[in-house]
Amino acid sequence: MSRIGKKPVEFAADIKVSSNGDILTFAKGKNSVDLDTKGNVDFKIDGNVLTFAAKSEEKAHRAFWGTYRALAANVVTGLTTGYSKQLEINGVGYRAAVKGKVLNLQLGHSHDINFDLVDGLEAKVEKNVITLSSHDKQLLGSAAAKIRSFRPPEPYKGKGVKYMEEHIVRKAGKTAKK
């Protein structure tokens, strides 16, 4: 039995939840998210409560039961409060700026890196901290990982782009011979 799958997903009255076959659609204001269950789980919308059930006692269906419940809960949380991630830039001459729907990064390469912000993703830059926010948890995580991959932090001086809560294990450099 899935402990997570048994919990119902409660959502606010301003979120509209509808189903079309195996696809759940969550909408609030101008934001709309589709969750395709691909026929792996049964679901029931009862007022402001969404409940999931395993399609059968098959192992794959029981596994998808908790997964789709968690994905639905993430969509509801994203539409009500939203998600955000902070990236910190460390290094002399490393800069970031937002120009419209483009995040401009200067990370010590021979050229600037222009990262296009897709719909549903917003960025703010204050000093050396980039704050990304979105209603879609998966979109936010993949964008943050892509930005970090442009210049991952190195272990000697800690230069690069890192998550705010990330800890970089430092290494000792070379020592002089006497």
Side-chain angles (χ1 to χ4, degrees), residues 17-170:
V17 180
S18 60
S19 64
N20 183 9
D22 292 333
I23 299 173
L24 280 167
T25 303
F26 299 85
K28 180 180 179 184
K30 61 181 170 72
N31 296 327
S32 178
V33 180
D34 291 335
L35 178 64
D36 188 2
T37 62
K38 296 182 172 78
N40 292 315
V41 293
D42 292 327
F43 54 86
K44 187 171 80 170
I45 303 167
D46 188 29
N48 287 349
V49 177
L50 176 64
T51 55
F52 288 89
K55 196 100 166 163
S56 69
E57 287 302 310
E58 202 175 305
K59 188 173 182 177
H61 288 158
R62 288 185 292 126
F64 284 124
W65 181 21
T67 301
Y68 281 114
R69 188 264 174 212
L71 290 173
N74 287 343
V75 169
V76 170
T77 303
L79 289 175
T80 54
T81 59
Y83 292 103
S84 68
K85 276 193 184 278
Q86 290 186 320
L87 297 164
E88 183 180 2
I89 300 175
N90 294 320
V92 177
Y94 291 6
R95 284 189 274 288
V98 178
K99 297 175 183 171
K101 293 293 281 178
V102 176
L103 178 65
N104 181 274
L105 300 162
Q106 296 174 351
L107 300 174
H109 295 290
S110 61
H111 59 283
D112 291 359
I113 298 168
N114 292 320
F115 182 77
D116 294 325
L117 300 171
V118 296
D119 290 336
L121 184 67
E122 296 174 6
K124 289 191 305 188
V125 177
E126 295 173 9
K127 292 190 179 183
N128 66 336
V129 177
I130 302 169
T131 304
L132 298 172
S133 57
S134 177
H135 67 277
D136 189 349
K137 191 173 186 178
Q138 190 273 330
L139 175 72
L140 177 69
S142 64
K146 180 72 174 168
I147 292 169
R148 183 184 181 277
S149 74
F150 293 139
R151 180 70 79 175
E154 52 96 10
Y156 296 102
K157 292 184 179 177
K159 292 168 47 172
V161 180
K162 70 177 190 80
Y163 297 115
M164 200 66 152
E165 64 276 358
E166 183 179 10
H167 175 72
I168 305 301
V169 178
R170 303 300 278 280

